[in-house]
mmCIF file of all heavy atoms in Angstrom:
data_model
loop_
_atom_site.group_PDB
_atom_site.id
_atom_site.type_symbol
_atom_site.label_atom_id
_atom_site.label_comp_id
_atom_site.label_asym_id
_atom_site.label_seq_id
_atom_site.Cartn_x
_atom_site.Cartn_y
_atom_site.Cartn_z
ATOM 1 N N MET Q 188 0.885 -1.236 0.039
ATOM 2 C CA MET Q 188 -0.055 -0.045 0.003
ATOM 3 C C MET Q 188 0.907 1.236 -0.068
ATOM 4 O O MET Q 188 1.742 1.436 0.863
ATOM 5 C CB MET Q 188 -0.932 -0.014 1.259
ATOM 6 C CG MET Q 188 -1.957 1.090 1.228
ATOM 7 S SD MET Q 188 -3.320 0.789 0.042
ATOM 8 C CE MET Q 188 -4.273 -0.430 0.877
ATOM 9 N N VAL Q 189 0.680 2.060 -1.047
ATOM 10 C CA VAL Q 189 1.538 3.313 -1.162
ATOM 11 C C VAL Q 189 0.730 4.544 -0.578
ATOM 12 O O VAL Q 189 1.336 5.303 0.056
ATOM 13 C CB VAL Q 189 1.996 3.514 -2.567
ATOM 14 C CG1 VAL Q 189 2.731 4.773 -2.758
ATOM 15 C CG2 VAL Q 189 2.700 2.354 -3.189
ATOM 16 N N VAL Q 190 -0.516 4.639 -1.025
ATOM 17 C CA VAL Q 190 -1.454 5.659 -0.532
ATOM 18 C C VAL Q 190 -2.708 5.027 -0.043
ATOM 19 O O VAL Q 190 -3.237 4.133 -0.762
ATOM 20 C CB VAL Q 190 -1.736 6.684 -1.642
ATOM 21 C CG1 VAL Q 190 -2.726 7.739 -1.180
ATOM 22 C CG2 VAL Q 190 -0.426 7.405 -2.083
ATOM 23 N N ASP Q 191 -3.252 5.464 1.109
ATOM 24 C CA ASP Q 191 -4.435 4.820 1.652
ATOM 25 C C ASP Q 191 -5.266 5.920 2.309
ATOM 26 O O ASP Q 191 -4.940 6.413 3.354
ATOM 27 C CB ASP Q 191 -4.069 3.766 2.676
ATOM 28 C CG ASP Q 191 -5.282 2.992 3.149
ATOM 29 O OD1 ASP Q 191 -6.357 3.136 2.545
ATOM 30 O OD2 ASP Q 191 -5.131 2.244 4.156
ATOM 31 N N THR Q 192 -6.304 6.320 1.646
ATOM 32 C CA THR Q 192 -7.395 7.264 2.168
ATOM 33 C C THR Q 192 -8.709 6.601 2.102
ATOM 34 O O THR Q 192 -8.819 5.486 1.596
ATOM 35 C CB THR Q 192 -7.440 8.635 1.366
ATOM 36 O OG1 THR Q 192 -8.077 8.356 0.159
ATOM 37 C CG2 THR Q 192 -5.895 9.057 1.071
ATOM 38 N N PRO Q 193 -9.725 7.186 2.774
ATOM 39 C CA PRO Q 193 -11.003 6.510 2.798
ATOM 40 C C PRO Q 193 -11.548 6.165 1.330
ATOM 41 O O PRO Q 193 -12.272 5.170 1.143
ATOM 42 C CB PRO Q 193 -11.888 7.484 3.420
ATOM 43 C CG PRO Q 193 -11.013 8.155 4.370
ATOM 44 C CD PRO Q 193 -9.744 8.404 3.595
ATOM 45 N N ALA Q 194 -11.249 6.963 0.349
ATOM 46 C CA ALA Q 194 -11.891 6.761 -0.980
ATOM 47 C C ALA Q 194 -10.844 6.557 -2.058
ATOM 48 O O ALA Q 194 -11.138 6.336 -3.264
ATOM 49 C CB ALA Q 194 -12.700 7.929 -1.324
ATOM 50 N N LEU Q 195 -9.509 6.514 -1.661
ATOM 51 C CA LEU Q 195 -8.446 6.328 -2.706
ATOM 52 C C LEU Q 195 -7.336 5.461 -2.170
ATOM 53 O O LEU Q 195 -6.984 5.515 -0.965
ATOM 54 C CB LEU Q 195 -7.883 7.674 -2.975
ATOM 55 C CG LEU Q 195 -6.688 7.746 -3.952
ATOM 56 C CD1 LEU Q 195 -7.020 7.300 -5.388
ATOM 57 C CD2 LEU Q 195 -6.089 9.245 -3.910
ATOM 58 N N ALA Q 196 -6.780 4.624 -3.084
ATOM 59 C CA ALA Q 196 -5.616 3.820 -2.722
ATOM 60 C C ALA Q 196 -4.671 3.777 -3.934
ATOM 61 O O ALA Q 196 -5.174 3.752 -5.058
ATOM 62 C CB ALA Q 196 -6.049 2.420 -2.341
ATOM 63 N N VAL Q 197 -3.391 3.767 -3.619
ATOM 64 C CA VAL Q 197 -2.390 3.479 -4.647
ATOM 65 C C VAL Q 197 -1.652 2.297 -4.100
ATOM 66 O O VAL Q 197 -1.125 2.298 -2.963
ATOM 67 C CB VAL Q 197 -1.437 4.590 -4.876
ATOM 68 C CG1 VAL Q 197 -0.431 4.248 -5.903
ATOM 69 C CG2 VAL Q 197 -2.132 5.967 -5.233
ATOM 70 N N VAL Q 198 -1.647 1.127 -4.955
ATOM 71 C CA VAL Q 198 -1.026 -0.046 -4.434
ATOM 72 C C VAL Q 198 0.000 -0.452 -5.586
ATOM 73 O O VAL Q 198 -0.224 -0.254 -6.751
ATOM 74 C CB VAL Q 198 -2.071 -1.170 -4.278
ATOM 75 C CG1 VAL Q 198 -3.069 -0.837 -3.212
ATOM 76 C CG2 VAL Q 198 -2.798 -1.397 -5.553
ATOM 77 N N ASP Q 199 1.091 -1.106 -5.010
ATOM 78 C CA ASP Q 199 2.195 -1.548 -5.835
ATOM 79 C C ASP Q 199 2.126 -3.076 -5.910
ATOM 80 O O ASP Q 199 2.172 -3.703 -4.850
ATOM 81 C CB ASP Q 199 3.481 -1.087 -5.298
ATOM 82 C CG ASP Q 199 4.656 -1.171 -6.286
ATOM 83 O OD1 ASP Q 199 4.712 -2.236 -6.908
ATOM 84 O OD2 ASP Q 199 5.457 -0.260 -6.396
ATOM 85 N N GLY Q 200 2.025 -3.603 -7.073
ATOM 86 C CA GLY Q 200 1.982 -5.011 -7.262
ATOM 87 C C GLY Q 200 3.268 -5.796 -7.138
ATOM 88 O O GLY Q 200 3.347 -6.978 -7.183
ATOM 89 N N ARG Q 201 4.366 -5.000 -7.129
ATOM 90 C CA ARG Q 201 5.650 -5.473 -6.933
ATOM 91 C C ARG Q 201 6.033 -6.574 -7.968
ATOM 92 O O ARG Q 201 6.710 -7.552 -7.643
ATOM 93 C CB ARG Q 201 5.930 -6.019 -5.537
ATOM 94 C CG ARG Q 201 5.646 -4.894 -4.455
ATOM 95 C CD ARG Q 201 6.176 -5.324 -3.116
ATOM 96 N NE ARG Q 201 5.534 -6.491 -2.563
ATOM 97 C CZ ARG Q 201 5.951 -7.187 -1.531
ATOM 98 N NH1 ARG Q 201 6.976 -6.688 -0.818
ATOM 99 N NH2 ARG Q 201 5.342 -8.181 -1.104
ATOM 100 N N PHE Q 202 5.480 -6.416 -9.215
ATOM 101 C CA PHE Q 202 5.696 -7.308 -10.320
ATOM 102 C C PHE Q 202 5.248 -8.806 -10.086
ATOM 103 O O PHE Q 202 5.824 -9.685 -10.643
ATOM 104 C CB PHE Q 202 7.215 -7.263 -10.756
ATOM 105 C CG PHE Q 202 7.667 -5.830 -11.110
ATOM 106 C CD1 PHE Q 202 8.318 -5.011 -10.175
ATOM 107 C CD2 PHE Q 202 7.342 -5.378 -12.373
ATOM 108 C CE1 PHE Q 202 8.646 -3.778 -10.536
ATOM 109 C CE2 PHE Q 202 7.708 -4.089 -12.649
ATOM 110 C CZ PHE Q 202 8.378 -3.258 -11.844
ATOM 111 N N GLY Q 203 4.249 -8.906 -9.233
ATOM 112 C CA GLY Q 203 3.745 -10.243 -9.005
ATOM 113 C C GLY Q 203 2.782 -10.556 -10.191
ATOM 114 O O GLY Q 203 2.369 -9.683 -10.984
ATOM 115 N N TYR Q 204 2.418 -11.835 -10.269
ATOM 116 C CA TYR Q 204 1.444 -12.208 -11.296
ATOM 117 C C TYR Q 204 0.173 -11.379 -11.191
ATOM 118 O O TYR Q 204 -0.340 -11.201 -10.064
ATOM 119 C CB TYR Q 204 1.061 -13.708 -11.135
ATOM 120 C CG TYR Q 204 2.158 -14.631 -11.621
ATOM 121 C CD1 TYR Q 204 2.923 -15.371 -10.854
ATOM 122 C CD2 TYR Q 204 2.273 -14.781 -13.083
ATOM 123 C CE1 TYR Q 204 3.933 -16.240 -11.403
ATOM 124 C CE2 TYR Q 204 3.207 -15.682 -13.585
ATOM 125 C CZ TYR Q 204 4.078 -16.408 -12.625
ATOM 126 O OH TYR Q 204 4.996 -17.242 -13.241
ATOM 127 N N GLY Q 205 -0.291 -10.889 -12.320
ATOM 128 C CA GLY Q 205 -1.507 -10.075 -12.195
ATOM 129 C C GLY Q 205 -2.684 -10.808 -11.681
ATOM 130 O O GLY Q 205 -3.609 -10.119 -11.015
ATOM 131 N N GLN Q 206 -2.799 -12.157 -11.811
ATOM 132 C CA GLN Q 206 -3.936 -12.875 -11.310
ATOM 133 C C GLN Q 206 -3.803 -12.979 -9.755
ATOM 134 O O GLN Q 206 -4.725 -13.421 -9.173
ATOM 135 C CB GLN Q 206 -3.941 -14.304 -11.885
ATOM 136 C CG GLN Q 206 -4.290 -14.356 -13.391
ATOM 137 C CD GLN Q 206 -3.162 -13.908 -14.335
ATOM 138 O OE1 GLN Q 206 -2.022 -13.777 -13.952
ATOM 139 N NE2 GLN Q 206 -3.433 -13.774 -15.625
ATOM 140 N N THR Q 207 -2.721 -12.604 -9.177
ATOM 141 C CA THR Q 207 -2.585 -12.550 -7.706
ATOM 142 C C THR Q 207 -2.776 -11.114 -7.254
ATOM 143 O O THR Q 207 -3.545 -10.880 -6.295
ATOM 144 C CB THR Q 207 -1.230 -13.039 -7.248
ATOM 145 O OG1 THR Q 207 -1.159 -14.461 -7.473
ATOM 146 C CG2 THR Q 207 -0.931 -12.844 -5.792
ATOM 147 N N VAL Q 208 -2.122 -10.118 -7.863
ATOM 148 C CA VAL Q 208 -2.107 -8.807 -7.270
ATOM 149 C C VAL Q 208 -3.355 -8.031 -7.715
ATOM 150 O O VAL Q 208 -3.887 -7.172 -6.950
ATOM 151 C CB VAL Q 208 -0.831 -7.981 -7.567
ATOM 152 C CG1 VAL Q 208 0.295 -8.819 -6.949
ATOM 153 C CG2 VAL Q 208 -0.600 -7.753 -9.034
ATOM 154 N N ALA Q 209 -3.882 -8.203 -8.945
ATOM 155 C CA ALA Q 209 -5.048 -7.443 -9.439
ATOM 156 C C ALA Q 209 -6.252 -7.766 -8.542
ATOM 157 O O ALA Q 209 -6.924 -6.736 -8.130
ATOM 158 C CB ALA Q 209 -5.278 -7.706 -10.845
ATOM 159 N N PRO Q 210 -6.587 -8.938 -8.227
ATOM 160 C CA PRO Q 210 -7.784 -9.110 -7.368
ATOM 161 C C PRO Q 210 -7.568 -8.495 -5.970
ATOM 162 O O PRO Q 210 -8.580 -8.122 -5.315
ATOM 163 C CB PRO Q 210 -7.944 -10.638 -7.315
ATOM 164 C CG PRO Q 210 -6.684 -11.305 -7.771
ATOM 165 C CD PRO Q 210 -6.139 -10.219 -8.696
ATOM 166 N N GLN Q 211 -6.379 -8.467 -5.449
ATOM 167 C CA GLN Q 211 -6.118 -7.769 -4.226
ATOM 168 C C GLN Q 211 -6.539 -6.236 -4.287
ATOM 169 O O GLN Q 211 -7.150 -5.714 -3.445
ATOM 170 C CB GLN Q 211 -4.668 -7.980 -3.748
ATOM 171 C CG GLN Q 211 -4.320 -9.355 -3.402
ATOM 172 C CD GLN Q 211 -2.804 -9.408 -3.043
ATOM 173 O OE1 GLN Q 211 -2.283 -8.656 -2.290
ATOM 174 N NE2 GLN Q 211 -2.146 -10.470 -3.569
ATOM 175 N N ALA Q 212 -6.075 -5.662 -5.468
ATOM 176 C CA ALA Q 212 -6.305 -4.198 -5.604
ATOM 177 C C ALA Q 212 -7.822 -4.003 -5.823
ATOM 178 O O ALA Q 212 -8.369 -2.969 -5.302
ATOM 179 C CB ALA Q 212 -5.535 -3.720 -6.892
ATOM 180 N N VAL Q 213 -8.475 -4.898 -6.585
ATOM 181 C CA VAL Q 213 -9.836 -4.643 -6.848
ATOM 182 C C VAL Q 213 -10.678 -4.805 -5.559
ATOM 183 O O VAL Q 213 -11.596 -4.027 -5.360
ATOM 184 C CB VAL Q 213 -10.404 -5.690 -7.928
ATOM 185 C CG1 VAL Q 213 -11.909 -5.657 -8.087
ATOM 186 C CG2 VAL Q 213 -9.721 -5.439 -9.248
ATOM 187 N N GLN Q 214 -10.243 -5.769 -4.699
ATOM 188 C CA GLN Q 214 -11.032 -5.847 -3.467
ATOM 189 C C GLN Q 214 -10.890 -4.642 -2.608
ATOM 190 O O GLN Q 214 -11.853 -4.255 -1.846
ATOM 191 C CB GLN Q 214 -10.498 -7.174 -2.648
ATOM 192 C CG GLN Q 214 -11.320 -7.446 -1.378
ATOM 193 C CD GLN Q 214 -12.722 -7.853 -1.841
ATOM 194 O OE1 GLN Q 214 -13.005 -8.716 -2.666
ATOM 195 N NE2 GLN Q 214 -13.695 -7.147 -1.268
ATOM 196 N N ILE Q 215 -9.714 -4.002 -2.650
ATOM 197 C CA ILE Q 215 -9.514 -2.785 -1.887
ATOM 198 C C ILE Q 215 -10.474 -1.784 -2.463
ATOM 199 O O ILE Q 215 -11.182 -1.022 -1.635
ATOM 200 C CB ILE Q 215 -8.138 -2.262 -2.046
ATOM 201 C CG1 ILE Q 215 -7.242 -3.152 -1.113
ATOM 202 C CG2 ILE Q 215 -8.000 -0.819 -1.606
ATOM 203 C CD1 ILE Q 215 -5.725 -2.900 -1.461
ATOM 204 N N GLY Q 216 -10.650 -1.708 -3.727
ATOM 205 C CA GLY Q 216 -11.613 -0.723 -4.359
ATOM 206 C C GLY Q 216 -13.057 -1.041 -3.982
ATOM 207 O O GLY Q 216 -13.860 -0.146 -3.708
ATOM 208 N N ILE Q 217 -13.369 -2.290 -3.942
ATOM 209 C CA ILE Q 217 -14.753 -2.706 -3.513
ATOM 210 C C ILE Q 217 -15.053 -2.344 -2.081
ATOM 211 O O ILE Q 217 -16.065 -1.722 -1.814
ATOM 212 C CB ILE Q 217 -14.910 -4.243 -3.751
ATOM 213 C CG1 ILE Q 217 -14.922 -4.598 -5.263
ATOM 214 C CG2 ILE Q 217 -16.190 -4.730 -2.988
ATOM 215 C CD1 ILE Q 217 -14.953 -6.069 -5.423
ATOM 216 N N ASP Q 218 -14.126 -2.626 -1.224
ATOM 217 C CA ASP Q 218 -14.316 -2.302 0.161
ATOM 218 C C ASP Q 218 -14.451 -0.773 0.455
ATOM 219 O O ASP Q 218 -15.295 -0.357 1.196
ATOM 220 C CB ASP Q 218 -13.138 -2.826 1.007
ATOM 221 C CG ASP Q 218 -13.059 -4.320 1.050
ATOM 222 O OD1 ASP Q 218 -14.133 -4.995 0.654
ATOM 223 O OD2 ASP Q 218 -12.070 -4.975 1.374
ATOM 224 N N LYS Q 219 -13.599 -0.015 -0.188
ATOM 225 C CA LYS Q 219 -13.741 1.411 -0.035
ATOM 226 C C LYS Q 219 -14.999 2.036 -0.655
ATOM 227 O O LYS Q 219 -15.588 2.903 -0.110
ATOM 228 C CB LYS Q 219 -12.431 2.066 -0.714
ATOM 229 C CG LYS Q 219 -11.158 1.870 0.084
ATOM 230 C CD LYS Q 219 -10.034 2.680 -0.562
ATOM 231 C CE LYS Q 219 -8.653 2.429 0.266
ATOM 232 N NZ LYS Q 219 -8.775 2.996 1.610
ATOM 233 N N CYS Q 220 -15.334 1.513 -1.780
ATOM 234 C CA CYS Q 220 -16.566 1.903 -2.452
ATOM 235 C C CYS Q 220 -17.856 1.606 -1.544
ATOM 236 O O CYS Q 220 -18.755 2.407 -1.408
ATOM 237 C CB CYS Q 220 -16.658 1.379 -3.814
ATOM 238 S SG CYS Q 220 -18.118 1.991 -4.753
ATOM 239 N N LYS Q 221 -17.853 0.410 -1.041
ATOM 240 C CA LYS Q 221 -18.968 0.037 -0.172
ATOM 241 C C LYS Q 221 -19.058 0.944 1.064
ATOM 242 O O LYS Q 221 -20.081 1.260 1.597
ATOM 243 C CB LYS Q 221 -18.796 -1.425 0.330
ATOM 244 C CG LYS Q 221 -19.068 -2.481 -0.746
ATOM 245 C CD LYS Q 221 -20.546 -2.434 -1.111
ATOM 246 C CE LYS Q 221 -20.841 -3.600 -2.014
ATOM 247 N NZ LYS Q 221 -22.310 -3.675 -2.414
ATOM 248 N N ALA Q 222 -17.890 1.454 1.491
ATOM 249 C CA ALA Q 222 -17.880 2.373 2.674
ATOM 250 C C ALA Q 222 -18.243 3.820 2.357
ATOM 251 O O ALA Q 222 -18.909 4.500 3.145
ATOM 252 C CB ALA Q 222 -16.572 2.221 3.383
ATOM 253 N N SER Q 223 -17.735 4.171 1.197
ATOM 254 C CA SER Q 223 -17.867 5.639 0.761
ATOM 255 C C SER Q 223 -18.865 5.904 -0.321
ATOM 256 O O SER Q 223 -19.173 7.121 -0.551
ATOM 257 C CB SER Q 223 -16.520 6.189 0.454
ATOM 258 O OG SER Q 223 -15.587 5.934 1.452
ATOM 259 N N GLY Q 224 -19.161 4.895 -1.110
ATOM 260 C CA GLY Q 224 -20.080 5.072 -2.264
ATOM 261 C C GLY Q 224 -19.318 5.386 -3.507
ATOM 262 O O GLY Q 224 -19.850 5.181 -4.649
ATOM 263 N N LEU Q 225 -17.992 5.789 -3.427
ATOM 264 C CA LEU Q 225 -17.192 6.114 -4.633
ATOM 265 C C LEU Q 225 -15.730 5.832 -4.182
ATOM 266 O O LEU Q 225 -15.372 6.244 -3.059
ATOM 267 C CB LEU Q 225 -17.319 7.497 -4.990
ATOM 268 C CG LEU Q 225 -16.502 8.058 -6.212
ATOM 269 C CD1 LEU Q 225 -16.959 7.409 -7.470
ATOM 270 C CD2 LEU Q 225 -16.699 9.629 -6.317
ATOM 271 N N ALA Q 226 -14.954 5.224 -5.044
ATOM 272 C CA ALA Q 226 -13.563 4.968 -4.797
ATOM 273 C C ALA Q 226 -12.771 4.859 -6.016
ATOM 274 O O ALA Q 226 -13.328 4.618 -7.090
ATOM 275 C CB ALA Q 226 -13.446 3.672 -3.983
ATOM 276 N N ALA Q 227 -11.472 5.062 -5.868
ATOM 277 C CA ALA Q 227 -10.525 4.844 -6.947
ATOM 278 C C ALA Q 227 -9.317 4.166 -6.466
ATOM 279 O O ALA Q 227 -8.756 4.443 -5.357
ATOM 280 C CB ALA Q 227 -10.157 6.254 -7.622
ATOM 281 N N VAL Q 228 -8.823 3.326 -7.323
ATOM 282 C CA VAL Q 228 -7.629 2.543 -6.971
ATOM 283 C C VAL Q 228 -6.594 2.595 -8.101
ATOM 284 O O VAL Q 228 -7.030 2.292 -9.267
ATOM 285 C CB VAL Q 228 -7.928 1.069 -6.577
ATOM 286 C CG1 VAL Q 228 -6.623 0.291 -6.217
ATOM 287 C CG2 VAL Q 228 -8.806 1.025 -5.361
ATOM 288 N N ALA Q 229 -5.433 2.968 -7.820
ATOM 289 C CA ALA Q 229 -4.348 2.995 -8.824
ATOM 290 C C ALA Q 229 -3.432 1.779 -8.548
ATOM 291 O O ALA Q 229 -2.764 1.750 -7.462
ATOM 292 C CB ALA Q 229 -3.507 4.280 -8.816
ATOM 293 N N LEU Q 230 -3.319 0.868 -9.437
ATOM 294 C CA LEU Q 230 -2.464 -0.373 -9.284
ATOM 295 C C LEU Q 230 -1.313 -0.160 -10.204
ATOM 296 O O LEU Q 230 -1.468 0.095 -11.399
ATOM 297 C CB LEU Q 230 -3.250 -1.611 -9.657
ATOM 298 C CG LEU Q 230 -2.353 -2.878 -9.853
ATOM 299 C CD1 LEU Q 230 -1.783 -3.252 -8.529
ATOM 300 C CD2 LEU Q 230 -3.221 -4.007 -10.461
ATOM 301 N N ARG Q 231 -0.113 -0.143 -9.618
ATOM 302 C CA ARG Q 231 1.143 -0.064 -10.416
ATOM 303 C C ARG Q 231 1.987 -1.270 -10.408
ATOM 304 O O ARG Q 231 1.839 -2.133 -9.521
ATOM 305 C CB ARG Q 231 1.976 1.149 -9.910
ATOM 306 C CG ARG Q 231 2.529 0.934 -8.444
ATOM 307 C CD ARG Q 231 3.470 2.072 -7.988
ATOM 308 N NE ARG Q 231 2.814 3.324 -7.927
ATOM 309 C CZ ARG Q 231 3.356 4.360 -7.146
ATOM 310 N NH1 ARG Q 231 4.515 4.106 -6.456
ATOM 311 N NH2 ARG Q 231 2.803 5.514 -7.131
ATOM 312 N N ASN Q 232 2.786 -1.433 -11.335
ATOM 313 C CA ASN Q 232 3.792 -2.543 -11.366
ATOM 314 C C ASN Q 232 3.240 -3.986 -11.184
ATOM 315 O O ASN Q 232 3.705 -4.724 -10.242
ATOM 316 C CB ASN Q 232 4.857 -2.245 -10.301
ATOM 317 C CG ASN Q 232 5.607 -1.000 -10.515
ATOM 318 O OD1 ASN Q 232 5.819 -0.534 -11.695
ATOM 319 N ND2 ASN Q 232 6.055 -0.359 -9.485
ATOM 320 N N SER Q 233 2.206 -4.236 -11.884
ATOM 321 C CA SER Q 233 1.582 -5.545 -11.861
ATOM 322 C C SER Q 233 2.034 -6.384 -12.983
ATOM 323 O O SER Q 233 2.336 -5.799 -14.146
ATOM 324 C CB SER Q 233 0.075 -5.470 -11.958
ATOM 325 O OG SER Q 233 -0.596 -6.718 -12.149
ATOM 326 N N GLY Q 234 2.220 -7.625 -12.787
ATOM 327 C CA GLY Q 234 2.375 -8.610 -13.950
ATOM 328 C C GLY Q 234 1.127 -8.556 -14.777
ATOM 329 O O GLY Q 234 0.105 -7.936 -14.402
ATOM 330 N N HIS Q 235 1.164 -9.214 -15.901
ATOM 331 C CA HIS Q 235 0.100 -9.142 -16.898
ATOM 332 C C HIS Q 235 -1.186 -9.485 -16.147
ATOM 333 O O HIS Q 235 -1.415 -10.603 -15.592
ATOM 334 C CB HIS Q 235 0.385 -10.192 -17.950
ATOM 335 C CG HIS Q 235 -0.624 -10.144 -19.115
ATOM 336 N ND1 HIS Q 235 -1.575 -11.094 -19.272
ATOM 337 C CD2 HIS Q 235 -0.815 -9.265 -20.059
ATOM 338 C CE1 HIS Q 235 -2.289 -10.794 -20.364
ATOM 339 N NE2 HIS Q 235 -1.891 -9.693 -20.845
#
């Protein structure tokens, strides 16, 4: 986790497989959106 606010996150995938790090990032977006109604997540450095 690089940035973590109630409605925004920036997460670094550390070049892990996309099928591992992308669902982690999406779940963060889901959780924040459920709490706030609106959310944005920036995923960087993900494998495909």
Side-chain angles (χ1 to χ4, degrees):
M188 188 73 76
V189 180
V190 174
D191 186 13
T192 77
L195 174 67
V197 179
V198 297
D199 195 315
R201 303 194 298 171
F202 300 99
Y204 281 105
Q206 291 79 7
T207 290
V208 300
Q211 295 177 42
V213 174
Q214 190 60 54
I215 289 170
I217 290 170
D218 293 343
K219 288 185 179 295
C220 186
K221 286 291 188 180
S223 302
L225 178 68
V228 176
L230 170 64
R231 65 173 63 160
N232 299 331
S233 170
H235 187 254

